[in-house]
C-alpha cells in the first residue's frame, strides 16, 4: 500500500479512537466505568488477604517443578526444531523461568517474609481472583482510557504545532522560549497544580499525560521538518509542485521516521506519567489499585499490578515498533 | 491582593518594569538593527508580553480566582521563603535525593554495562529479563518500594536510581558493542593486552554513547524524582508543592513549580557543559591527553 | 579584436541566418525560436556581517546600518541555446556556472538582464526546464523508483494509465527495468542518478539541466553513464545544458562548450566541438580539443 494511504489510515484510526473514547471519559469520569459493570461496583469489594494464604491455591512445589519442566521442554523443542522456535523466546522464557523458581524458593524456605515479597504462586492466585471479580478489568480500562485520550490528543496537537513552528520562523521565535521553559518542568510537577484546577479524576491525569506525550512528539516533529533537505524541496518544485506539494509530498514523508520515533518516546513517557498521575490524582486505574493495595499491605496485588503494567507496556511498545516497520518501508 | 495575604511587591511595580523593558528594547532595536539579534528580541518580547498580560489581567480584576496568582505575589512569596530559608531547605533535600539516586545508578550501571557489552552471551540471556523490569514505570515500583523500605528517604532514592539505571545501562552496552573492531586490532598489533584494549579503545569510543545515556537517565531521574516526592516524601520540593495544594496556598504552588523549572534548566545547562568537556569529537580536553593512541585513531580515521 | 561577447553575438546571429548549428546530428529549428535566450545577465549577492553572523542575501536590506559587500557572481552573460544542442558550461569552481544553471531552472532570478525560455520570461521552476542535481540523494528516498519518476506527470495532472505507460517507457530508456519497485536505499549511486535523469526526462522537458551529475561517482560508472547519456540524448532529441568542471567530460559530451572565467563569471570563449558521437578519447582531434579547453581554463 502506498505510504500516503498508510499514514491517512493511521490518522483516521487515531481520530476515530479519540472520538469514541472522549464521551466516555471526560463527561462522566471514572464513575461511569463502575456503573457499566452492572450496578455500582464497590471499590471496597476487594478480595482480601485472608482469602488466599500462601500455598492455599497453588502449591509452591508443584509450581517450581512445573516451571522447571517447562523450561527443559522448551530447550528440547529448540534443539529438535531449531527453525520454528525463535532463540530470543527461548532465552527470555528461560531467564524468566529461572527467576521465578528462585523467587519461589526464597519464600518457600522462609528467607523473606511473604508480606514483603510474596511468591509467584500467591501473586498469580491474587490476579486470578481479581480477574474473576472484574476488579482488574475495571482498572485496566480506566487507565487505558486516560492514556489513549491524552496520547491521541498529544499527537493531534504535537504534529501540527511542530509543523507550524518549523515552517514559520516568526511563530517559532515567539513560541519557542515559552515552550522551552515549560518543557523543562517534569509533568508530574504539574500534578498539584492540575488537581487544584481540575479536581480529582480524569481531567488532571489527562492533562499530565498529555504534557508528557506532547513534548517529545512536538520536538521531534520540529526537528524532522527542519531537517528537510533543500534538494528535495527544489526537486519537487522543479517537477511542478506547489506549496502544498512541498508540505505534503516532501516535508512530511521526509520527517516521518523522526516523527514516529518521537511518538514512540512520547508514548513511553506518557506511560510513566499515567502511573504517576494515578498514584495521586484519581480514584480508579492501575496506579490507584497499586497504591490502594499498598495502604492495606496487600503486597500480592501490588506486585500483580506491577506485572500487569509491565506487560501492557511491552505489548504497546511492540505494537508501535511493528507499525513503524510496516509504514516506514524505505529505511 | 487580600486573598493571598501579605503582598510586598506591588503589581504596578511589576507592570512598570516590564513595560520599561519592552520600550527600551524596542527603541534600542530600531536604532541599531544589528546590536540585538532578532531571535533574542522576539523571545524577550514573548516573555514580557506574557508576564504583562498575566499581571495585568489579575490587577485589573478581569480574572479573579483562588487558583491563579500574579507574578508580584509569586515573587513576594519567593523572597519570603528565601529569607526564611524554607525554599533552600527543600531544594537541598530534593537535590540530595536526586544526586544520591543518580550516582548509585551510575556506579552500578556503567561497570555492569561494560561487562555485559563485553560478554555477549551473558547479555543475550539476561536481556529479556532486563527489558521486562525496564518496562515497569518507576512510579509503579514506588508502592512496592515503600512496603519494602518504609516511608522516608529510601524508597524515593531507590526508585530514582532504578529510573536512571536502565538508560545508562542500555547505552553503555550499546556503546561498548559499537567499538570498532578495527581499532581493537590496531591496539593488538601494537602489542596491547586485554586491559589496554579496554582502556584505549573501548572506553573512549563508547563514551559519547554512554554520555547520551547519562543524559537520558538524568531526564528520567528528574521526572521520577518529582513524582516520588509528591507521593511519598516528607521534605523537598514536591512535598512543598503538594502540601501547599492541600492548604490551597496557590502562590506557594507556583513558587515551587518555578523553582522546579529553574532547577531543570540549570541541570540542562550543567549537563551540556559536562558533555562538551568530555566528548572527543569536538576536541574536548580530558581524554585526549590521556590516550594518545585514541587521539591518533580518531584523527586519522584509521 | 572582438571581445568574446561580441564574438558570441556574431555566432548566434550567424546561426540564426544559416539556420544551422554545427555538430548536431538530428537538428530541427523550431520556428526559429531559441530554446533558451540569455541576455546580459548579471547576478550579485550581498553579504552582511554582524556579531560574527554572516548573512548572504539577494536583495539589499532596507534598514541597515552597515553597507554590505557585493559579491558579483555573474557578469554580462549573453548566450542562446537551440533545440537539440548539447551545451556544456565549463569553468573553475566558484565561477558561477551552477548559479547560471539555477537561474535557468528558475530557482534564482538574475540581478540584471533577461532569461527567456521559448520567448517567455522564466518565472520559476517548471518541469519544462527539468533539473538533475549534483547529489544522487535528490531522488526521494521514501518513494520507489516508479513513484519517483511518476511524480512529475502526477503533479501535472496526467491520468494513471498514461502515467504508467510513460513511466515504463522512461524506465526502459534509462535501462532500469526490473527495479521499478525498489527503494533508493537499495540502489547504487550510478543507478540513482539514472533515476534522477529519468525523473527529469519523463516530463518531455524543453531543456534538461544537469548540475555536475556524475561528479560524485567513480570513474567507471561515470564513463558508462556518459555514454548512456549520449544515447538518450540522441534517441529523444533532447536539449541538454550540462555543468561540469571536468574538461574531459565537457569535451566528450558536448557539441558546444561555454568556458567561463573565474568569479565574476563571464563567458571567456565558446568552443564548438565538431566530432561525431561516440567520440574516441584517444583520437588526436579529441586530444586537441581537450588541450585547447585546458589552456582556456588555465588563464
Amino acid at each position: 500500500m502506498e505510504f500516503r494511504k498508510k499514514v491517512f489510515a493511521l490518522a483516521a484510526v487515531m481520530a476515530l479512537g479519540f472520538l469514541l473514547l472522549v464521551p466516555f471519559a471526560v463527561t462522566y469520569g471514572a464513575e461511569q466505568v463502575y456503573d457499566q459493570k452492572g450496578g455500582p461496583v464497590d471499590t471496597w469489594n476487594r478480595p482480601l488477604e485472608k482469602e488466599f494464604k500462601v500455598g492455599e491455591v497453588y502449591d509452591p512445589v508443584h509450581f517450581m517443578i512445573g516451571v522447571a519442566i517447562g523450561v527443559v521442554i522448551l530447550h528440547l523443542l529448540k534443539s529438535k526444531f531449531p527453525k520454528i522456535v525463535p532463540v530470543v523466546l527461548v532465552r527470555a522464557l528461560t531467564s524468566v523461568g529461572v527467576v521465578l523458581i528462585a523467587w519461589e524458593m526464597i519464600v518457600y524456605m522462609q528467607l523473606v517474609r511473604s508480606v514483603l515479597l510474596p511468591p509467584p504462586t500467591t501473586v498469580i492466585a491474587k490476579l486470578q481472583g481479581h480477574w474473576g471479580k472484574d476488579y482488574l478489568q475495571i482498572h485496566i480500562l480506566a487507565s487505558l482510557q486516560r492514556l489513549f485520550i491524552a496520547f491521541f490528543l498529544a499527537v493531534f496537537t504535537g504534529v501540527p504545532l511542530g509543523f507550524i513552528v518549523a515552517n514559520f520562523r516568526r511563530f517559532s521565535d515567539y513560541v519557542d522560549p515559552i515552550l522551552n521553559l515549560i518543557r523543562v518542568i517534569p509533568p508530574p510537577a504539574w500534578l498539584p497544580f492540575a488537581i487544584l484546577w481540575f479536581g480529582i479524576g480524569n481531567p488532571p491525569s489527562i492533562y499530565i499525560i498529555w504534557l508528557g506525550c506532547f513534548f517529545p512528539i512536538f520536538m521531534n516533529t520540529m526537528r524532522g521538518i527542519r531537517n528537510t533537505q533543500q534538494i528535495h524541496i527544489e526537486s519537487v518544485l522543479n517537477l511542478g509542485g506547489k506549496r502544498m506539494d512541498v508540505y505534503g509530498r516532501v516535508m512530511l514523508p521526509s520527517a516521518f521516521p523522526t516523527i514516529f520515533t518521537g511518538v514512540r518516546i512520547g508514548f513511553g513517557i506518557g506511560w510513566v506519567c499515567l502511573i504517576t498521575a494515578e498514584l495521586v490524582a484519581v480514584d480508579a486505574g492501575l496506579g490507584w489499585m497499586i497504591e490502594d493495595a499498598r495502604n492495606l499491605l496487600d503486597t500480592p496485588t501490588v506486585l500483580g499490578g506491577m506485572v500487569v503494567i509491565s506487560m501492557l507496556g511491552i505489548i504497546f511498545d511492540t505494537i508501535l515498533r511493528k507499525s513503524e516497520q510496516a509504514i516506514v518501508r524505505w529505511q | 491582593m487580600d486573598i493571598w495575604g501579605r503582598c510586598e511587591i506591588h503589581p504596578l511595580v511589576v507592570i512598570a518594569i516590564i513595560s520599561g523593558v519592552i520600550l527600551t528594547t524596542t527603541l534600542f532595536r530600531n536604532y541599531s538593527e544589528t546590536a540585538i539579534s532578532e531571535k533574542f528580541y522576539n523571545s524577550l518580547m514573548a516573555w514580557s508580553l506574557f508576564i504583562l498580560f498575566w499581571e495585568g489581567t489579575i490587577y485589573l480584576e478581569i480574572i479573579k480566582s483562588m487558583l491563579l496568582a500574579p507574578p508580584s505575589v509569586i515573587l513576594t512569596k519567593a523572597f519570603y521563603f528565601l529569607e526564611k530559608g524554607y525554599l533552600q531547605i527543600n531544594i537541598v533535600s530534593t537535590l540530595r535525593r536526586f544526586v544520591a539516586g543518580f550516582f548509585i545508578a551510575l556506579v552500578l550501571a556503567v561497570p555492569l554495562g561494560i561487562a555485559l557489552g563485553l560478554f555477549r552471551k551473558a547479555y543475550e540471556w539476561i536481556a529479556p529479563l532486563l527489558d521486562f523490569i525496564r518496562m515497569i514505570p518507576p512510579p509503579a515500583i514506588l508502592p512496592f518500594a515503600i512496603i519494602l523500605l518504609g516511608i522516608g528517604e529510601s524508597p524515593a532514592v531507590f526508585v530514582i536510581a532504578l529510573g536512571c539505571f536502565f538508560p545508562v545501562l542500555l547505552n553503555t552496552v550499546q556503546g561498548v558493542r559499537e567499538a570498532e573492531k578495527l581499532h581493537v586490532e590496531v591496539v593488538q598489533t601494537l602489542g596491547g593486552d586485554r586491559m589496554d584494549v579496554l582502556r584505549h579503545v573501548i572506553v573512549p569510543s563508547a563514551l559519547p554513547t554512554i554520555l547520551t545515556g547519562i543524559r537520558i537517565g538524568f531526564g528520567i531521574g528528574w521526572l521520577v524524582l518529582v513524582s516520588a516526592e509528591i507521593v511519598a516524601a516528607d521534605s523537598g520540593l514536591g512535598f512543598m508543592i503538594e502540601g501547599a495544594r492541600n492548604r490551597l496556598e496557590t502562590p506557594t504552588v507556583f513558587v515551587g513549580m518555578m523553582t522546579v523549572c529553574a532547577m531543570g534548566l540549570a541541570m540542562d545547562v550543567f549537563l551540556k557543559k559536562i558533555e562538551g568537556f568530555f566528548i572527543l569529537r569536538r576536541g574536548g580536553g580530558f581524554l585526549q591527553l590521556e590516550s594518545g593512541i585514541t587521539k591518533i585513531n580518531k584523527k586519522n580515521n584509521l | 579584436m572582438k571581445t568574446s561577447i561580441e564574438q558570441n553575438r556574431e555566432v548566434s546571429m550567424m546561426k540564426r541566418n544559416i539556420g544551422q548549428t554545427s555538430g548536431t546530428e538530428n537538428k530541427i529549428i523550431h520556428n526559429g525560436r531559441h530554446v533558451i535566450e540569455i541576455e546580459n545577465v548579471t547576478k550579485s549577492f550581498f553579504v552582511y556581517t554582524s556579531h560574527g553572523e554572516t548573512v548572504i542575501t539577494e536583495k539589499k536590506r532596507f534598514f541597515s546600518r552597515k553597507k554590505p559587500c557585493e559579491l558579483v557572481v555573474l557578469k554580462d552573460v549573453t548566450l542562446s541555446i537551440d533545440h537539440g544542442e548539447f551545451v556544456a558550461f565549463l569553468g573553475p569552481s566558484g565561477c558561477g556556472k551552477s548559479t547560471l544553471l539555477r537561474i535557468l531552472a528558475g530557482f534564482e532570478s538574475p540581478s540584471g538582464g533577461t532569461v527567456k525560455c521559448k520567448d517567455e520570461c522564466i518565472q520559476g521552476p517548471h518541469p519544462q526546464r527539468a533539473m538533475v542535481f549534483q547529489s544522487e540523494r535528490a531522488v526521494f528516498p521514501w518513494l520507489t523508483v516508479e513513484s519517483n519518476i511518476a511524480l512529475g506527470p502526477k503533479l501535472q495532472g496526467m491520468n494513471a494509465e498514461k502515467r504508467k505507460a510513460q513511466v515504463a517507457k522512461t524506465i526502459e530508456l534509462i535501462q532500469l527495468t526490473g527495479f521499478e519497485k525498489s527503494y533508493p536505499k537499495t540502489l547504487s549511486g550510478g543507478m540513482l542518478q539514472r533515476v534522477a535523469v529519468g525523473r527529469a526526462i519523463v516530463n518531455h522537458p524543453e531543456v534538461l539541466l544537469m548540475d555536475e551529475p556524475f561528479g560524485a561517482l567513480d570513474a567507471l560508472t561515470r564513463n558508462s553513464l556518459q555514454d548512456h547519456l549520449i544515447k538518450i540524448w540522441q534517441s529523444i532529441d533532447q536539449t541538454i545544458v550540462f555543468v561540469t568542471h571536468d574538461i574531459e567530460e565537457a569535451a566528450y559530451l558536448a557539441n558546444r562548450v561555454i568556458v567561463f572565467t573565474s568569479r565574476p563569471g563571464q563567458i571567456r570563449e565558446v568552443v564548438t566541438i565538431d566530432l561525431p558521437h561516440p567520440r574516441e578519447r584517444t583520437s588526436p582531434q579529441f586530444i586537441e580539443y581537450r588541450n585547447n579547453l585546458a589552456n582556456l581554463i588555465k588563464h
Side-chain angles (χ1 to χ4, degrees), chain A:
Chain A
M1 222 197 338
E2 211 192 284
F3 172 70
R4 308 188 95 204
K5 298 199 189 107
K6 285 185 207 164
V7 174
F8 280 134
L10 190 69
V13 163
M14 291 207 292
L16 208 67
F18 181 73
L19 289 172
L20 282 176
L21 285 173
V22 169
F24 286 108
V26 175
T27 357
Y28 298 100
E31 292 78 349
Q32 177 72 358
V33 179
Y34 296 145
D35 290 335
Q36 276 178 333
K37 279 294 159 185
V41 172
D42 188 5
T43 47
W44 300 96
N45 181 23
R46 312 175 199 84
L48 295 175
E49 176 69 47
K50 61 177 188 267
E51 294 177 14
F52 302 95
K53 280 232 169 27
V54 175
E56 196 166 359
V57 182
Y58 293 115
D59 186 22
V61 179
H62 291 169
F63 177 74
M64 284 192 276
I65 297 178
V67 169
I69 295 180
V71 169
V72 168
I73 293 182
L74 202 63
H75 278 263
L76 283 175
L77 275 180
K78 190 187 99 173
S79 54
K80 290 257 168 140
F81 310 104
K83 287 199 184 137
I84 302 182
V85 183
V87 176
V88 183
L89 191 67
V90 172
R91 290 207 181 111
L93 292 178
T94 313
S95 33
V96 168
V98 165
V99 166
L100 283 177
I101 296 180
W103 184 3
E104 186 75 50
M105 185 84 72
I106 295 179
V107 185
Y108 188 62
M109 302 199 299
Q110 296 188 346
L111 294 170
V112 183
R113 285 166 56 197
S114 72
V115 168
L116 290 182
L117 186 70
T121 42
T122 321
V123 173
I124 296 175
K126 207 56 179 264
L127 279 179
Q128 249 196 333
H130 285 319
W131 185 267
K133 292 203 174 174
D134 279 342
Y135 186 64
L136 201 59
Q137 286 89 311
I138 291 179
H139 293 300
I140 294 181
L141 272 178
S143 285
L144 289 184
Q145 210 178 48
R146 268 177 216 127
L147 177 69
F148 281 113
I149 291 180
F151 177 64
F152 292 153
L153 203 65
V155 171
F156 284 123
T157 44
V159 174
L161 208 68
F163 189 81
I164 295 176
V165 166
N167 276 323
F168 302 108
R169 195 66 200 302
R170 264 298 161 94
F171 200 74
S172 101
D173 279 346
Y174 278 107
V175 165
D176 244 4
I178 301 184
L179 281 178
N180 268 329
L181 273 190
I182 299 187
R183 173 171 62 100
V184 195
I185 306 180
W190 289 91
L191 261 175
F193 194 68
I195 300 177
L196 202 63
W197 275 30
F198 304 123
I200 291 254
N202 265 341
S205 13
I206 293 183
Y207 175 64
I208 305 280
I209 303 172
W210 174 82
L211 269 178
C213 294
F214 177 81
F215 282 105
I217 298 179
F218 171 75
M219 302 288 295
N220 270 33
T221 315
M222 201 175 66
R223 193 155 44 97
I225 292 188
R226 279 206 177 135
N227 286 343
T228 321
Q229 293 185 9
Q230 186 69 14
I231 37 175
H232 289 152
I233 299 181
E234 284 181 357
S235 295
V236 91
L237 285 176
N238 186 258
L239 290 172
K242 303 276 178 274
R243 190 167 251 238
M244 287 313 287
D245 293 308
V246 173
Y247 291 154
R249 287 185 194 272
V250 173
M251 283 189 174
L252 280 179
S254 153
F256 196 78
T258 320
I259 296 180
F260 211 92
T261 308
V263 165
R264 211 159 32 88
I265 297 178
F267 190 84
I269 299 190
W271 191 239
V272 175
C273 293
L274 167 76
I275 304 298
T276 313
E278 289 193 335
L279 289 177
V280 183
V282 299
D283 41 9
L286 286 169
W288 179 87
M289 183 175 95
I290 295 182
E291 178 72 6
D292 185 56
R294 169 184 80 81
N295 274 319
L296 302 170
L297 228 53
D298 181 8
T299 324
T301 312
V302 172
L303 275 174
M306 277 163 58
V307 167
V308 169
I309 293 175
S310 168
M311 297 200 51
L312 281 176
I314 295 181
I315 293 177
F316 287 127
D317 194 49
T318 317
I319 293 180
L320 275 176
R321 266 182 225 264
K322 292 291 180 199
S323 20
E324 182 173 14
Q325 279 173 7
I327 298 184
V328 178
R329 284 301 203 81
W330 62 85
Q331 277 189 329

Side-chain angles (χ1 to χ4, degrees), chain C residues 69-292:
Chain C
C69 305
E70 191 168 345
L71 201 73
V72 181
V73 184
L74 286 171
K75 196 165 164 188
D76 260 340
V77 175
T78 302
L79 184 60
S80 56
I81 301 174
D82 286 317
H83 179 87
E85 280 198 281
F86 197 127
V87 174
F89 288 173
L90 180 65
S93 297
C95 68
K97 50 193 197 297
S98 288
T99 316
L100 186 60
L101 198 77
R102 285 172 66 85
I103 291 180
L104 286 179
F107 294 124
E108 326 239 7
S109 39
S111 313
T114 53
V115 195
K116 291 197 188 140
C117 173
K118 287 249 153 133
D119 276 345
E120 286 164 19
C121 271
I122 293 183
Q123 306 271 12
H126 195 271
Q128 289 295 59
R129 285 162 273 120
M131 183 140 162
V132 176
F133 294 86
Q134 185 169 3
S135 164
E136 71 272 13
R137 274 178 280 146
V139 172
F140 301 124
W142 54 86
L143 293 176
T144 55
V145 166
E146 239 181 359
S147 313
N148 259 296
I149 299 182
L151 188 61
K154 194 188 223 178
L155 291 173
Q156 299 293 79
M158 203 184 280
N159 67 358
E161 275 173 30
K162 268 177 77 181
R163 242 178 17 227
K164 218 167 163 202
Q166 202 145 332
V167 166
K169 253 196 301 181
T170 311
I171 291 191
E172 222 183 287
L173 200 63
I174 58 177
Q175 290 175 5
L176 278 178
T177 34
F179 287 99
E180 288 93 343
K181 306 268 185 216
S182 317
Y183 282 99
K185 190 176 177 235
T186 57
L187 302 177
S188 69
M191 295 161 96
L192 284 176
Q193 281 299 51
R194 277 190 272 166
V195 175
V197 170
R199 188 173 67 171
I201 60 180
V202 74
N203 306 298
H204 296 305
E206 290 289 345
V207 57
L208 180 65
L209 306 167
M210 307 181 84
D211 190 356
E212 302 192 46
F214 306 143
L217 306 169
D218 61 276
L220 287 176
T221 325
R222 199 182 312 152
N223 288 345
S224 83
L225 281 186
Q226 284 167 357
D227 289 324
H228 198 177
L229 183 63
I230 293 292
K231 286 205 194 88
I232 295 179
W233 172 60
Q234 289 171 329
S235 67
I236 60 175
D237 192 25
Q238 176 75 51
T239 318
I240 298 186
V241 177
F242 192 98
V243 167
T244 179
H245 61 265
D246 184 346
I247 303 170
E248 174 135 356
E249 194 171 41
Y252 188 75
L253 293 173
N255 49 30
R256 198 148 64 105
V257 180
I258 320 281
V259 183
F260 285 85
T261 60
S262 43
R263 192 185 305 152
Q266 291 167 289
I267 296 185
R268 180 125 200 263
E269 181 99 19
V270 177
V271 177
T272 315
I273 301 188
D274 223 332
L275 301 173
H277 289 283
R279 296 176 181 164
E280 278 287 336
R281 292 181 203 267
T282 46
S283 73
Q285 301 102 314
F286 182 81
I287 295 181
E288 193 192 322
Y289 274 117
R290 208 190 63 194
N291 292 338
N292 191 9

